[in-house]
Amino acid sequence: MNHLPQAWGRPRDDVYGAYDASYLQSNGPNQHTQSPIVTGTSVVALKFKDGVVIAADNLASYGSLARFTDVKRLRTFADTSVVGFGGDVSDMQYLDRLLNSLDTEEAYSTSGHTLNAKNLHTYLAKVFYKRRSDFNPLWNQVLVAGLDGEGKPFLASADLLGTTFSSPSLATGFGANLAQPLLRKVAPDEEAASKLSQEQALEAVKESMKVLFYRDARSLDKYSIAVVTKDGIDLKEDEKLEKQSWAFADQIRGYGTQVN
Amino acid sequence: MFRNNYDNDSVTFSPQGRIFQVEYASEAVKQGSVVVGIVSKTHAVLVALKRNAEELSSYQKKVIAIDEHLGLALAGLASDARVLSNFMKQQSLSSRLTYGRAIPLERLVSSIGDRAQTNTQHYGKRPYGVGLLVAGVDETGPHLFEFQPSGMTQEMVACAIGARSQMARTYLERNLEKFADAGREELVKHGLAALKESLAQDKELTVENCSVGVVGVRAEGAKAIEAFKLYDGMEVKQWVDLVAEGNETAEGGMEVDS
């Protein structure tokens, strides 16, 4: 029996010889997150007259493998805001915990004060910028939807670099290329967005989710969609894409010369 | 023979469960010149009596602006108030930076309450020797808080601390029901009148020895605020004159009543 605790559980030197520590690299540069592993794709959002519609599909991809098909990428905050996450899922889960503790802290020490969507966005942007300044980014782009301090619809983006911007419609990842042009047709500017009805906004967002499913190889036809207004959040997490158009495919044959 | 063995430091309880060092710190607040705070539905005001060490010296600053939406008045050790007010400024700025939000008053006040409390709990530390009145406006409207060296904080409708503040408090208690609906000017007037009550016999309110701090909401229920402003010197002349004149009529009126 060896009485020295530091030797417990180790291969015995007298049997196996001294451990060759040269395999253990004890110095060298610190390595932080290099790249995302399990990822979520686009988040799509659009402002309307009295609120914001935001949607994201329920897929978490592992490279090109559609690994997890029931990952909810929209999370609510304090019943007043919705955050949509794109990018690395583990970092999304970290941010989710961070927001939970922020919510708890806020409820502990104040009465009658809440963080609105604008405050939440500022906070998240600071977290992202701090992390990228440490060369250890949180590999996400998020959209924050809700109402600002004046009760007006609020929608803004924050990403792994700490970059922020806002617009009547926003989309992350593939959505920036595919959904944004469609949403901008509906709401080219703030004024147009302030005239949109909830139905119009919902339809436009659902349409862009469909286009994304057609053309984004890392997307899914199951998605979550939330409507934020002053009355609260209406979050649906198990929506299916409807009325997809595939009938035309029957008519397509070959790549040019094939007739039948 | 009759030495008090329980007042050497703030970590010793007396057999009665008292902490004498904290009580001595409260005495320091009572040595400071008087400050008054009142809050209405739309405004919060701080009124302070400044003291000068001698004829040739300047008057000690009593009101400190913390942020756009709040300020404080102090009674007691001015250097302790500087420590606390610097901390409050940092907290307010940090809230604006990280959340883009004006810090809720309740939270700011309880954070200095916590700080003061820690000082009564650790060996080698001493309690702060200063009392504060914190007035400001946040999402939930105008507020006034009192802070004591023991770490106690309370929300108040009206409050006075410092030397001879009992007289000012009596005035405030008498006029309590007028405050809630009082306008900006009226509130300042009540503040100065309360201050006047607590003056020593040969003293008078002058533009040199008064400070007024005002903060408010622009209209009831509105988001826009009237930023905290400190009025000093000639800026308080309008109010000082008003109270100086108003005094004779007020006293006359009281005599008729009785």
Side-chain angles (χ1 to χ4, degrees):
Chain A
M1 175 71 194
N2 187 339
H3 295 281
L4 299 170
Q6 60 267 36
W8 293 352
R10 286 204 176 168
R12 286 168 58 183
D13 286 354
D14 55 335
V15 179
Y16 300 100
Y19 184 75
D20 181 4
S22 66
Y23 290 111
L24 287 174
Q25 199 109 51
S26 59
N27 52 13
N30 254 343
Q31 295 206 347
H32 293 314
T33 312
Q34 305 288 307
S35 60
I37 308 295
V38 178
T39 58
T41 183
S42 332
V43 186
V44 174
L46 172 64
K47 284 204 257 190
F48 64 94
K49 193 167 49 166
D50 0 75
V52 189
V53 181
I54 182 168
D57 69 26
N58 293 349
L59 178 67
S61 309
Y62 181 71
S64 55
L65 175 67
R67 181 67 183 80
F68 307 101
T69 55
D70 59 347
V71 175
K72 310 300 192 296
R73 294 194 291 125
L74 299 184
R75 72 97 71 193
T76 60
F77 184 86
D79 291 327
T80 55
S81 317
V82 176
V83 187
F85 296 89
D88 192 84
V89 168
S90 61
D91 286 348
M92 170 186 96
Q93 289 166 339
Y94 167 77
L95 281 168
D96 182 55
R97 287 187 184 186
L98 200 65
L99 292 182
N100 278 336
S101 62
L102 179 67
D103 196 15
T104 312
E105 221 171 274
E106 197 67 12
Y108 258 127
S109 54
T110 45
S111 55
H113 302 277
T114 48
L115 290 173
N116 58 39
K118 197 175 180 184
N119 302 146
L120 184 62
H121 175 257
T122 311
Y123 173 73
L124 282 171
K126 303 290 167 187
V127 172
F128 280 124
Y129 185 65
K130 166 75 169 70
R131 288 292 295 261
R132 85 108 220 196
S133 302
D134 293 342
F135 294 96
N136 187 15
L138 292 163
W139 221 285
N140 298 102
Q141 185 178 0
V142 302
L143 299 186
V144 183
L147 303 176
D148 64 12
E150 267 97 55
K152 295 209 188 73
F154 176 87
L155 174 61
S157 157
D159 67 13
L160 68 164
L161 300 174
T163 312
T164 61
F165 47 86
S166 68
S167 154
S169 60
L170 280 176
T172 73
F174 235 94
N177 302 304
L178 293 177
Q180 199 58 310
L182 299 173
L183 298 174
R184 284 197 180 146
K185 266 192 210 166
V186 185
D189 51 27
E190 288 287 350
E191 200 196 331
S194 69
K195 285 176 185 147
L196 278 184
S197 73
Q198 182 172 325
E199 290 71 31
Q200 284 171 309
L202 263 174
E203 203 202 33
V205 168
K206 284 181 177 173
E207 191 61 27
S208 2
M209 289 307 286
K210 191 155 72 182
V211 170
L212 282 169
F213 178 60
Y214 285 152
R215 317 223 89 121
D216 178 0
R218 305 283 171 268
S219 69
L220 197 67
D221 53 350
K222 276 196 331 201
Y223 66 100
S224 310
I225 189 162
V227 181
V228 201
T229 59
K230 66 172 177 7
D231 301 322
I233 300 167
D234 179 21
L235 172 63
K236 298 198 192 81
E237 291 192 313
D238 282 303
E239 296 292 284
K240 266 309 247 182
L241 285 180
E242 284 161 352
K243 287 182 265 171
Q244 290 179 43
S245 145
W246 293 108
F248 67 94
D250 267 358
Q251 312 305 316
I252 302 169
R253 283 184 179 64
Y255 292 92
T257 53
Q258 188 180 341
V259 187
N260 270 304
Chain B
M1 184 70 174
F2 296 110
R3 220 173 73 87
N4 186 350
N5 287 313
Y6 302 100
D7 67 352
N8 291 316
D9 52 63
S10 61
V11 294
T12 307
F13 281 102
S14 80
Q16 286 75 37
R18 294 161 58 176
I19 303 173
F20 283 108
Q21 279 299 326
V22 172
E23 293 180 19
Y24 296 159
S26 307
E27 287 303 313
V29 178
K30 290 176 193 148
Q31 307 279 323
S33 69
V34 62
V35 292
V36 175
I38 315 178
V39 71
S40 75
K41 280 179 188 163
T42 55
H43 286 83
V45 301
L46 296 171
V47 181
L49 181 69
K50 292 186 290 185
R51 271 203 296 230
N52 58 345
E54 47 172 309
E55 270 302 286
L56 297 174
S57 76
S58 65
Y59 288 77
Q60 180 71 48
K61 231 178 124 182
K62 298 282 284 179
V63 181
I64 304 172
I66 301 294
D67 196 350
E68 201 179 315
H69 69 299
L70 81 142
L72 61 79
L74 64 105
L77 298 188
S79 43
D80 280 359
R82 272 169 46 80
V83 170
L84 287 169
S85 69
N86 284 341
F87 174 73
M88 289 166 85
K89 284 176 189 175
Q90 282 173 6
Q91 293 285 300
S92 311
L93 277 176
S94 128
S95 173
R96 285 199 190 270
L97 201 73
T98 43
Y99 302 105
R101 165 177 85 160
I103 193 167
L105 243 68
E106 179 201 351
R107 178 180 300 192
L108 184 61
V109 170
S110 55
S111 76
I112 57 167
D114 289 350
R115 261 183 76 123
Q117 199 279 331
T118 351
N119 281 4
T120 68
Q121 205 178 13
H122 291 282
Y123 189 77
K125 288 188 180 291
R126 63 168 180 86
Y128 288 112
V130 70
L132 305 176
L133 295 181
V134 184
V137 171
D138 61 23
E139 287 187 281
T140 56
H143 298 281
L144 173 69
F145 286 90
E146 180 196 3
F147 162 89
Q148 288 290 335
S150 60
M152 183 219 66
T153 60
Q154 276 182 304
E155 175 147 25
M156 307 292 276
V157 173
C159 186
I161 54 173
R164 307 163 59 86
S165 61
Q166 185 52 52
M167 264 88 94
R169 272 204 295 277
T170 309
Y171 174 91
L172 295 174
E173 281 161 18
R174 278 215 197 100
N175 294 279
L176 192 60
E177 63 284 356
K178 293 179 197 156
F179 298 151
D181 295 309
R184 182 182 193 276
E185 300 301 307
E186 221 180 322
L187 221 51
V188 176
K189 231 165 71 188
H190 279 302
L192 284 170
L195 205 61
K196 200 179 162 77
E197 293 287 314
S198 67
L199 284 177
Q201 238 151 33
D202 53 336
K203 290 278 167 45
E204 255 183 277
L205 288 184
T206 64
V207 288
E208 287 85 32
N209 70 7
C210 286
S211 270
V212 177
V214 185
V215 63
V217 288
R218 287 215 179 278
E220 213 173 315
K223 293 275 178 191
I225 68 160
E226 179 190 331
F228 185 88
K229 173 133 174 43
L230 170 58
Y231 296 88
D232 250 333
M234 287 314 280
E235 293 169 314
V236 300
K237 188 167 169 37
Q238 35 164 347
W239 294 309
V240 171
D241 290 349
L242 217 61
V243 178
E245 293 157 18
N247 189 45
E248 269 92 65
T249 55
E251 273 180 0
M254 276 212 279
E255 273 176 17
V256 172
D257 278 343
S258 62

